[in-house]
Amino acid sequence: MFSASQSSKAQFLDKARQAREERRELKERERAAVQIQALIRRFLCQCRLQREIRREVDDFFGANESGSTKRSALSIFRIARKLLFVFNHKEDKERFEKLCRCILNSMDVENEPKVWYVSLALSKDLTLLWIKQIKDILWFCCEFLKQLKPDILQDSRLVNLHLTMLVTFTDTSTWKILRGKGETLRPAMNHICANIMGHLNQKGFYSVLQILLTNGLARSRPSLSKGSLTAIFSLALRPVVAAQFSDNLLRSLLIHIMSVPAIMTHLATLTPERLAVIESHDLFRKFILFLSREAQCRDVCVCLEGSHTLCLLGNLVYLGSLNDKVLEEETAHFVGVLIHMLSYCQKYVSQKKSNLTHWHPVLGWFSQTVDYGLNESMPLLTKQLQHLWGVHMIRILFSDVLSKKLLENQEIAQLPTQPVSPQNSLPMKNLFKRAFQKSASVRNILKPVGGKRVDSAEVQKVCSICVLYQTTLTTLTQIRLQILTGLTYLDDLLPKLWAFICELGPQGGLKLFLECLNNDTEESKRLLAMLMLFCDCSRHLITILDDIEVYEEQISFKLEELVTISSFLNSFVFKMIWDGIVENARGETLELFHSVHGWLMVLYERDCRRRFAPEDHWLRKDLKPSVLFQELDKDKKRAQLLLQYIPHVIPHKNRVLLFRNMVTKEKEKLGLVETSSASPHVTHITIRRSRMLEDGYEQLRQLSQNAMKGVIRVKFVNDLGVDEAGIDQDGVFKEFLEEIIKKVFDPALNLFKTTSGDERLYPSPTSYIHENYLQLFEFVGKMLGKAVYEGIVVDVPFASFFLSQLLGHHHSVFYSSVDELPSLDSEFYKNLTSIKRYDGDISDLGLTLSYDEDVMGQLVCHELVPGGKTIPVTNENKISYIHLMAHFRMHTQIKSQTAALISGFRSIIKPEWIRMFSAPELQRLISGDNAEIDLEDLKKHTVYYGGFHGSHRVIIWLWDILANDFSPEERAMFLKFVTSCSRPPLLGFAYLKPPFSIRCVEVSDDQDTGDTLGSVLRGFFTIRKKEPGGRLPTSSTCFNLLKLPNYSKKSILREKLRYAISMNTGFELS
C-alpha cells in the first residue's frame, strides 16, 4: 500500500517538471520568432532603403549623364554620402566610377565656384565632413587599384581614373578655386592635402602603389602607360617632399617604390622627366646617406625579401650611373651601401639545392622565399646591375688606380715594341672585341716595390671597392662570368691594380699578404679581398685570351709581368700550405686560397703548353724533397696538400721517384713482390704471333684489376703452331706489350688518328666501325697503364689535348678547349681565331652553329647545339661558336672512346698518382725522357755477356762511336734499336728493366744457341772463329740486348751499326 502511494507521487512530480519545461520552451520559441522577425524586418528595411538610395544615386548619375544641368558641389557631396553609406565593393563598382568622374568633371568647370567639389572645404559646417568623405573616397580608389590589372584594357582605364582622383586631391596645384584672389587660401588647402596624404599613408598608401607598379612593370614589357607611371611616381614623391625627406618616408619610398624591379629603367624609357625630378631633389644622394647608416640599411634589407633587395640594388646602381657628380662625391657611402646589401643577400645564397632553397635566376640557390612573379623582369634587372661593372662606373670607382701612369718614356728605347696588327687599330664593336684588343702602351715591368701605407685613405678606398666587386662575384653567382668580363674590359685596370698591390706595405707584395692571413682584422680582410679580386679577374682574362694575344700582342700583362706574378702566386700558395694555413682554412680564407691557386694553375698550364717562364721558375729551392718524402711517409697533412695542389714545386725527377715508390708500395700491399716467404701469383697466357692483338685482348680483358697489376708470363706460339723456346723473365712480356701497343696505335687500324703537323696520336672519331670498339679502347687503356705501372717506356706520342683529358684537366672550370686546339689541328685553330678577329658582320660568312664533316665519303652535319644548323653565327655568338666548335672536335666527337680508354688506364694507374704531372710530363712518364741520352749513365749501367767487358776494344770503340761519330738523332735511333724506345728512362738507365746489355755473338741469330765457355773465352781474348765483317749487329728489344759481332776494325763497327739502326733491322736480319 505504502509503495503504491510513493510511485504515484513520483509520477506526479515528473509530469509537473515536463509541463514546466514545455512552457519554457514555448516562451523561448516565441522570443526567437520575435527576434527573427525583427531581424528580417530590419534586413528587408535595409534592403529597401539601399535600393531606394541606389535608385536615387542612379537617377542622379542618369540625369548627370544627360548633361541637362550642372550639378552643384553640395548635391555631389550629398549623393556621395548616400552612396558611401550603402557602399559595397562588388555591387557599387560602376556607381563609384561614375561618382569619381562626376567629382573630376566638377573640378574642370570654369568660373563656377559652387560646382567645384573642393569648394565645400571652405564651408564652416561641412569642412570636417567633406575631409572625411574625400579620405574615404580616395581610400576606396586605393582599394580598387590593388585589384586592377594594368595589362587588361578596361582595367587600365580604371587605373587612370583612380590615379587621377588621387593626383587631384593630394595636391592643390590644379584647384581652380585657388586662382586669383583664392591664392590666400593655398596654405590652408595645402594643410588639408597634407592631412589627406597622412591618412592615406597610415592606411598603407605605399603598399598600394607597390602592388600597382609590380603588376604593371614586373614583366618583360611594361603594361603601365606613360601617364599612369608619371602619376604613380608623382604620388609616391609627394609625401616625401611634403615631409622634407624625413627618415620614415624615405624608408617607405625605398621599401615600396625603389624595390620595384627596374622602375628606374622604366622611368628613363617612358617618362624621363621624372628622373629630372629625382635629380632636382638630389634623391640619389639622400638614399645613399640614409642607407649608409648600418641600422637603417639592415632594417630596409630585412623588410625586403632577397629578390626585392636585389631590385632595390639594381635601381640604386642605375641611378648612380646617371649621377656622376654624386657618385664621385659619395663613393665611400655608395660602395658601403652596396656591400651591405649584397652581404645581406649573400647570407642566403646557397651552394647547392636542398629542401630549404629556391632557384633564383641571378642569385642561384637561395634559402629565402623567392618571388617567382619577378622572374620576367630579371633580364631588365641584370641590365641595371651591369652598370656596376660597366666601363663608366669602373672608371669612376677605380679612378685612383686608373690615374696611375704605367707609361715610361725613358724606357721606350730599351724595351722591344710589339707590332700593332691592323685589326687592333679599328674601332671595337662589342665587349669581347674590347677584351681582346691590344694594349699599345710601353711601360716598365711591374715588380713589388712597397712604400705605400696600408692605412692611408687611398688604400682603404681601393680596398673597399675591391670588397664590393668581390662580394658581387660571390653573391650574383649566375652572372659571375658577365661580371668578370666587365671587370677585364679595360686593358689597363688589372696591370694598374697589380702595380697598386706591388706598392703596398714596406717591402711590397708577398710579406704583407702573408701577414694579413695571420691577422683576423677588418683591414686584413679587405686587403686579401683586393688580392682575391685581382686573381679572379686576371685568371678570367688569361683564360679567354688566345696564345697570340698572350704571347705576341701581350694584352694587359707583359710576359715578364706574368713571370713576376706567377712567382708571387707560387710563393703565396706554397706558404699557405706549408705554414698550415690551408689545413684549417674555412670560409673566406679557403675561398682566397682557391682563387690564388686557380690563377696560379692557369698560368702554370699555359706555361706547360708554351713556355714564358725561365727554367726551374716553378721550383721551390727552400723545399728539400727528402723532407717532403719523410712527411708523406708520416701522413703529414701539409705534405699531402702540397702534392695535391702544387706538385710542380718539386723537381720532376723527384716526383717520378715518388710515383715509382707509390707503385712499389701498392705492389707490396697486394702481394705482387717476391719475398723470402711468398711468391706472387703469376698469370700465364699463350699468344699466337699471327693473332697477337686478338689473343691478347681475349685473354687479358677478362683479368681482374689485381691480376692485371700482377706478374703476367707470356708464351708465344709461332706460325706453325709450335711453342717458341725461352722463358719469360719480364723480357717476353715486354716484347708482347710493345708489339700490342705498336699495333693498336697504328693509324692504319683506325683506333687512333694522328694530328696534322706533328703527327701525334688521339682516338679516331670513326673508330666506331670496329666491333666492340669501346671494349678495345678500355683494353688499350689497361695496356698503356700496365706499361706505366711496370716502368716500361713505349714510344707513343700523344696529342697534348688528349693527355690533358687523361689527367682530367678538361673537368676544370678554367679549362679552355680553344687553348688546346692547336695540338689537334693548327690550321683549324687559325681559321677559328680569324673568325674571332673578323671586324665585319660575321653573319655575312653564312656560318651556322654546326660542323660539316666528310665521314668515309659522306657529308655529315653535326649540330653544336640542338637546332644548330638553323642558328646563324653572328657577332654576338661568335665567341660561343668558337668554343663550341673546339669542344666538339676535341671532346664530343671522341667522348665515349676517351672515357673507355681513361677507364682502362685508371684501373691500373690511380688518378691521384698522375695528377702531380703536367701533360708534357705525363708524356715523358709514358715515353721516357726527351733529354739527350746520357752516355756516361748508359755505360755505367750496361751489363756485358759473351766475353765482352768494359775495357774490351770493341766496347771502347762502340762508346767512342756513339759519343763522337753519331749525331743525337743517331744515338736516339741506336737506343730504339736496342730497347724499342728512342728516349731514355726518366730516372736514368739504372731504372731500365731489364738492364741494358751487350753480348758478343759469333754466329747469326738463327744459329745462336747462347753463350758457351768457348765463345765467352774467344770473345774475351778477341779470338775469332771467322771474320764477322759481313754480319750486322742485331738486338732483342724484349731483353734490351745488343748482339754485337766481334769486329776487327772500328770503321767496320761504325758502318755496320749505322746501317743496322737506320734500317731498324733488330733481330729480323743479320
Side-chain angles (χ1 to χ4, degrees):
M1 181 75 187
F2 181 75
S3 60
S5 66
Q6 269 191 336
S7 174
S8 62
K9 185 180 177 183
Q11 286 175 354
F12 174 76
L13 290 171
D14 193 38
K15 284 179 182 177
R17 192 181 67 253
Q18 284 178 2
R20 270 197 317 275
E21 285 177 2
E22 283 173 8
R23 286 194 299 276
R24 191 172 67 248
E25 221 173 280
L26 188 61
K27 283 180 183 176
E28 284 292 328
R29 278 203 200 100
E30 286 174 357
R31 191 161 56 249
V34 170
Q35 202 168 355
I36 289 169
Q37 286 172 0
L39 283 169
I40 288 172
R41 279 198 298 273
R42 188 175 74 180
F43 173 72
L44 292 172
C45 185
Q46 282 177 345
C47 288
R48 190 164 53 250
L49 179 63
Q50 286 173 355
R51 278 198 301 275
E52 287 172 6
I53 290 173
R54 287 192 175 103
R55 196 179 301 119
E56 189 181 341
V57 170
D58 290 341
D59 292 343
F60 178 86
F61 291 132
N64 195 50
E65 283 169 9
S66 65
S68 54
T69 56
K70 290 176 183 173
R71 299 291 186 180
S72 68
L74 189 60
S75 64
I76 296 172
F77 171 76
R78 285 173 179 158
I79 206 71
R81 263 189 103 180
K82 289 181 178 181
L83 179 59
L84 294 176
F85 178 68
V86 297
F87 187 72
N88 178 282
H89 274 84
K90 285 185 180 177
E91 278 191 64
D92 299 314
K93 187 179 173 186
E94 286 185 24
R95 294 183 183 91
F96 186 76
E97 291 164 23
K98 289 175 182 176
L99 174 64
C100 290
R101 286 197 176 92
C102 185
I103 291 171
L104 290 173
N105 289 338
S106 79
M107 295 293 288
D108 287 337
V109 176
E110 293 291 337
N111 303 318
E112 291 195 37
K114 288 186 179 180
V115 176
W116 296 330
Y117 177 68
V118 79
S119 64
L120 299 174
L122 303 176
S123 167
K124 286 182 182 179
D125 300 330
L126 296 175
T127 303
L128 294 177
L129 290 173
W130 180 84
I131 291 172
K132 167 86 170 60
Q133 187 179 88
I134 195 63
K135 283 180 180 178
D136 290 341
I137 290 172
L138 293 182
W139 182 245
F140 282 136
C141 287
C142 292
E143 293 278 356
F144 280 116
L145 284 172
K146 279 200 284 189
Q147 297 163 12
L148 295 171
K149 305 290 180 199
D151 51 333
I152 301 169
L153 182 62
Q154 184 59 37
D155 279 12
S156 70
R157 289 176 185 157
L158 295 176
V159 166
N160 287 336
L161 173 66
H162 297 310
L163 284 174
T164 308
M165 281 293 291
L166 287 163
V167 168
T168 304
F169 292 101
T170 54
D171 186 75
T172 61
S173 57
T174 58
W175 295 2
K176 295 183 173 67
I177 198 169
L178 300 180
R179 290 178 186 169
K181 293 177 182 178
E183 190 65 40
T184 55
L185 300 171
R186 192 174 294 278
M189 291 302 183
N190 283 340
H191 188 69
I192 289 173
C193 284
N195 188 326
I196 293 168
M197 281 294 343
H199 172 77
L200 293 176
N201 281 336
Q202 279 184 335
K203 299 273 279 184
F205 181 56
Y206 276 113
S207 296
V208 172
L209 295 183
Q210 182 182 17
I211 292 165
L212 183 60
L213 283 168
T214 305
N215 287 339
L217 301 180
R219 50 186 61 245
S220 50
R221 292 183 63 188
S223 56
L224 284 174
S225 65
K226 175 181 177 177
S228 298
L229 188 56
T230 304
I232 295 167
F233 204 74
S234 298
L235 286 167
L237 283 183
R238 277 179 186 174
V240 184
V241 175
Q244 296 182 327
F245 308 99
S246 70
D247 283 356
N248 276 344
L249 285 165
L250 273 176
R251 176 183 179 275
S252 295
L253 189 65
L254 285 164
I255 289 172
H256 297 291
I257 308 302
M258 292 299 293
S259 67
V260 173
I263 186 171
M264 291 299 117
T265 303
H266 291 302
L267 285 176
T269 308
L270 294 173
T271 171
E273 56 272 14
R274 290 299 98 195
L275 288 178
V277 172
I278 290 173
E279 194 173 342
S280 68
H281 289 303
D282 205 10
L283 262 180
F284 175 59
R285 190 194 305 270
K286 290 180 171 70
F287 287 150
I288 294 303
L289 293 176
F290 174 82
L291 291 168
S292 65
R293 284 167 275 177
E294 194 175 324
Q296 292 176 175
C297 189
R298 192 186 308 114
D299 169 48
V300 168
C301 290
V302 169
C303 287
L304 296 169
E305 289 178 343
S307 298
H308 293 281
T309 304
L310 202 59
C311 294
L312 171 59
L313 187 80
N315 285 317
L316 290 175
V317 167
Y318 186 77
L319 269 183
S321 69
L322 302 175
N323 289 271
D324 292 0
K325 184 171 178 290
V326 178
L327 197 60
E328 287 167 14
E329 291 169 3
E330 303 292 346
T331 298
H333 287 135
F334 176 73
V335 169
V337 167
L338 263 54
I339 290 171
H340 195 97
M341 293 173 74
L342 284 165
S343 300
Y344 176 80
C345 290
Q346 192 186 49
K347 286 193 297 187
Y348 301 99
V349 173
S350 179
Q351 295 301 314
K352 56 188 176 181
K353 180 181 179 181
S354 75
N355 293 333
L356 302 173
T357 57
H358 308 268
W359 178 253
H360 190 282
V362 174
L363 299 165
W365 291 112
F366 199 67
S367 58
Q368 274 191 332
T369 52
V370 170
D371 186 348
Y372 291 108
L374 303 182
N375 279 7
E376 265 192 79
S377 58
M378 282 302 134
L380 279 174
L381 170 62
T382 306
K383 278 188 179 177
Q384 282 189 320
L385 292 169
Q386 281 171 356
H387 287 283
L388 183 58
W389 48 89
V391 173
H392 184 67
M393 200 168 282
I394 284 175
R395 284 196 190 281
I396 293 172
L397 296 181
F398 279 111
S399 56
D400 290 350
V401 173
L402 291 168
S403 61
K404 288 183 164 300
K405 292 198 173 168
L406 298 178
L407 193 65
E408 296 288 340
N409 294 326
Q410 68 269 28
E411 302 270 334
I412 288 175
Q414 295 144 28
L415 290 168
T417 56
Q418 299 296 326
V420 181
S421 53
Q423 67 265 27
N424 289 326
S425 60
L426 295 170
M428 293 295 147
K429 291 185 179 177
N430 58 37
L431 190 66
F432 279 106
K433 281 187 179 177
R434 187 66 190 86
F436 297 125
Q437 191 180 9
K438 181 183 180 298
S439 173
S441 62
V442 181
R443 61 169 187 264
N444 263 346
I445 304 310
L446 303 168
K447 295 181 179 179
V449 291
K452 196 183 285 288
R453 288 179 61 87
V454 293
D455 56 356
S456 65
E458 181 193 4
V459 173
Q460 292 301 309
K461 180 185 172 185
V462 174
C463 284
S464 292
I465 293 161
C466 290
V467 169
L468 166 62
Y469 283 110
Q470 194 54 45
T471 313
T472 307
L473 284 169
T474 51
T475 306
L476 311 182
T477 58
Q478 299 310 297
I479 52 173
R480 180 182 170 87
L481 289 179
Q482 278 187 39
I483 301 165
L484 288 169
T485 304
L487 289 168
T488 54
Y489 186 94
L490 290 173
D491 279 349
D492 55 346
L493 176 62
L494 292 174
K496 287 180 176 179
L497 190 57
W498 172 243
F500 192 82
I501 288 169
C502 288
E503 292 176 3
L504 296 174
Q507 281 87 36
L510 187 64
K511 189 178 177 186
L512 170 71
F513 288 103
L514 288 172
E515 286 172 0
C516 288
L517 283 172
N518 298 313
N519 296 335
D520 196 24
T521 61
E522 200 58 40
E523 188 180 85
S524 296
K525 286 179 183 176
R526 289 151 78 88
L527 283 165
L528 292 172
M530 175 163 53
L531 176 62
M532 195 169 167
L533 182 74
F534 170 73
C535 290
D536 286 344
C537 293
S538 303
R539 178 185 63 212
H540 178 75
L541 176 67
I542 294 296
T543 303
I544 62 175
L545 296 181
D546 59 41
D547 282 357
I548 294 168
E549 291 156 338
V550 172
Y551 292 92
E552 276 83 47
E553 296 175 1
Q554 298 188 27
I555 287 177
S556 282
F557 294 108
K558 301 180 77 63
L559 289 180
E560 295 91 337
E561 284 163 5
L562 291 181
V563 172
T564 309
I565 291 167
S566 59
S567 177
F568 166 83
L569 298 172
N570 208 34
S571 300
F572 188 78
V573 172
F574 173 74
K575 290 285 187 185
M576 279 192 81
I577 293 173
W578 206 242
D579 293 350
I581 295 168
V582 177
E583 287 178 46
N584 309 306
R586 296 284 181 277
E588 291 172 356
T589 309
L590 196 59
E591 285 174 18
L592 171 71
F593 173 75
H594 288 309
S595 180
V596 179
H597 175 257
W599 174 211
L600 171 67
M601 294 316 292
V602 164
L603 287 175
Y604 174 68
E605 282 161 23
R606 179 80 76 164
D607 185 62
C608 288
R609 280 200 307 277
R610 181 174 169 183
R611 287 198 86 71
F612 63 80
E615 200 70 35
D616 296 341
H617 170 73
W618 303 98
L619 301 180
R620 289 293 303 183
K621 304 291 190 296
D622 53 345
L623 175 67
K624 292 183 179 177
S626 57
V627 174
L628 178 71
F629 292 173
Q630 285 169 13
E631 295 211 358
L632 283 170
D633 289 338
K634 294 173 185 174
D635 289 332
K636 289 283 183 72
K637 187 70 175 173
R638 69 175 186 174
Q640 293 169 346
L641 288 169
L642 192 81
L643 207 59
Q644 179 186 344
Y645 286 110
I646 47 168
H648 59 254
V649 300
I650 311 159
H652 178 242
K653 186 175 180 180
N654 296 100
R655 277 179 280 145
V656 176
L657 270 172
L658 189 60
F659 171 76
R660 298 269 31 119
N661 288 344
M662 288 171 173
V663 172
T664 305
K665 280 181 183 176
E666 189 186 74
K667 284 185 172 183
E668 289 170 356
K669 187 179 175 183
L670 297 174
L672 303 177
V673 179
E674 188 145 356
T675 62
S676 55
S677 58
S679 294
H681 172 74
V682 177
T683 302
H684 294 276
I685 59 172
T686 303
I687 303 294
R688 291 170 289 179
R689 278 202 182 270
S690 58
R691 292 179 59 81
M692 194 179 290
L693 178 57
E694 294 86 342
D695 288 356
Y697 170 68
E698 284 301 325
Q699 294 186 53
L700 292 179
R701 76 185 182 94
Q702 307 291 347
L703 292 184
S704 67
Q705 190 171 311
N706 287 353
M708 273 299 294
K709 291 179 179 181
V711 179
I712 299 173
R713 296 277 182 242
V714 178
K715 181 173 279 297
F716 281 119
V717 175
N718 65 19
D719 294 345
L720 301 172
V722 179
D723 289 357
E724 293 184 5
I727 299 167
D728 182 5
Q729 291 296 331
D730 296 332
V732 179
F733 177 73
K734 177 176 179 281
E735 182 191 347
F736 162 72
L737 194 62
E738 287 166 351
E739 288 299 317
I740 283 276
I741 284 173
K742 193 187 294 181
K743 285 179 187 292
V744 295
F745 287 108
D746 184 352
L749 187 64
N750 196 36
L751 274 178
F752 287 83
K753 276 182 79 171
T754 55
T755 60
S756 59
D758 55 0
E759 296 196 339
R760 292 184 163 269
L761 294 159
Y762 69 98
S764 168
T766 55
S767 54
Y768 57 79
I769 61 171
H770 290 282
E771 191 180 352
N772 301 328
Y773 73 103
L774 292 180
Q775 288 93 323
L776 265 172
F777 272 103
E778 189 175 356
F779 171 69
V780 172
K782 286 179 178 178
M783 290 293 96
L784 190 63
K786 179 69 174 171
V788 174
Y789 194 76
E790 300 298 344
I792 299 169
V793 288
V794 287
D795 208 353
V796 184
F798 285 116
S800 173
F801 80 90
F802 179 68
L803 289 165
S804 292
Q805 294 184 42
L806 205 55
L807 288 165
H809 289 173
H810 59 300
H811 295 306
S812 165
V813 290
F814 314 122
Y815 180 80
S816 170
S817 300
V818 177
D819 289 342
E820 295 273 21
L821 189 58
S823 69
L824 171 67
D825 189 336
S826 56
E827 198 58 40
F828 188 68
Y829 171 76
K830 282 178 188 171
N831 293 339
L832 279 185
T833 50
S834 68
I835 290 173
K836 184 171 80 174
R837 287 173 167 74
Y838 187 73
D839 285 322
D841 186 355
I842 202 77
S843 56
D844 294 343
L845 301 181
L847 298 169
T848 60
L849 294 183
S850 60
Y851 172 61
D852 294 330
E853 184 185 28
D854 184 354
V855 180
M856 293 180 284
Q858 284 190 326
L859 192 67
V860 178
C861 177
H862 303 282
E863 292 190 327
L864 303 178
V865 295
K869 61 185 176 186
T870 61
I871 303 172
V873 177
T874 63
N875 286 350
E876 284 69 39
N877 67 7
K878 68 180 181 180
I879 299 297
S880 295
Y881 169 72
I882 292 164
H883 282 271
L884 286 167
M885 186 68 89
H887 188 266
F888 176 79
R889 287 289 307 274
M890 294 191 298
H891 297 274
T892 311
Q893 266 195 316
I894 56 171
K895 186 177 180 181
S896 53
Q897 293 95 320
T898 304
L901 188 142
I902 289 173
S903 170
F905 186 77
R906 288 183 177 175
S907 68
I908 309 294
I909 303 293
K910 291 181 180 177
E912 57 268 26
W913 289 353
I914 56 168
R915 279 202 194 112
M916 53 184 169
F917 300 108
S918 64
E921 288 170 343
L922 179 61
Q923 182 66 67
R924 287 164 69 189
L925 194 68
I926 294 168
S927 301
D929 209 332
N930 52 7
E932 206 168 305
I933 296 165
D934 184 346
L935 288 176
E936 287 303 315
D937 183 48
L938 177 58
K939 193 189 300 185
K940 184 179 173 184
H941 296 101
T942 298
V943 180
Y944 302 102
Y945 298 104
F948 277 162
H949 50 86
S951 301
H952 195 288
R953 69 174 187 176
V954 173
I955 299 302
I956 292 170
W957 289 343
L958 174 68
W959 295 124
D960 188 56
I961 290 165
L962 288 170
N964 300 315
D965 297 344
F966 276 20
S967 66
E969 289 76 20
E970 286 175 317
R971 286 195 283 274
M973 288 164 66
F974 167 76
L975 190 62
K976 184 165 185 174
F977 176 73
V978 181
T979 68
S980 79
C981 186
S982 58
R983 295 177 175 184
L986 271 181
L987 299 174
F989 289 98
Y991 287 84
L992 185 66
K993 300 292 181 208
F996 193 92
S997 313
I998 304 174
R999 178 167 164 249
C1000 178
V1001 291
E1002 297 178 315
V1003 291
S1004 60
D1005 279 3
D1006 54 348
Q1007 297 171 324
D1008 190 7
T1009 56
D1011 289 343
T1012 63
L1013 180 61
S1015 69
V1016 170
L1017 288 171
R1018 283 192 294 276
F1020 187 82
F1021 293 109
T1022 323
I1023 302 167
R1024 299 178 197 84
K1025 289 170 73 175
K1026 60 180 180 179
E1027 176 57 49
R1031 286 208 318 277
L1032 293 171
T1034 60
S1035 66
S1036 290
T1037 56
C1038 53
F1039 292 106
N1040 298 326
L1041 174 65
L1042 173 65
K1043 298 175 183 177
L1044 199 61
N1046 199 342
Y1047 293 114
S1048 58
K1049 290 182 183 176
K1050 183 180 178 181
S1051 59
I1052 297 173
L1053 171 60
R1054 184 192 306 112
E1055 178 196 336
K1056 297 295 182 185
L1057 186 61
R1058 185 169 271 151
Y1059 181 78
I1061 64 170
S1062 62
M1063 296 304 291
N1064 197 18
T1065 53
F1067 52 79
E1068 299 157 7
L1069 175 70
S1070 61

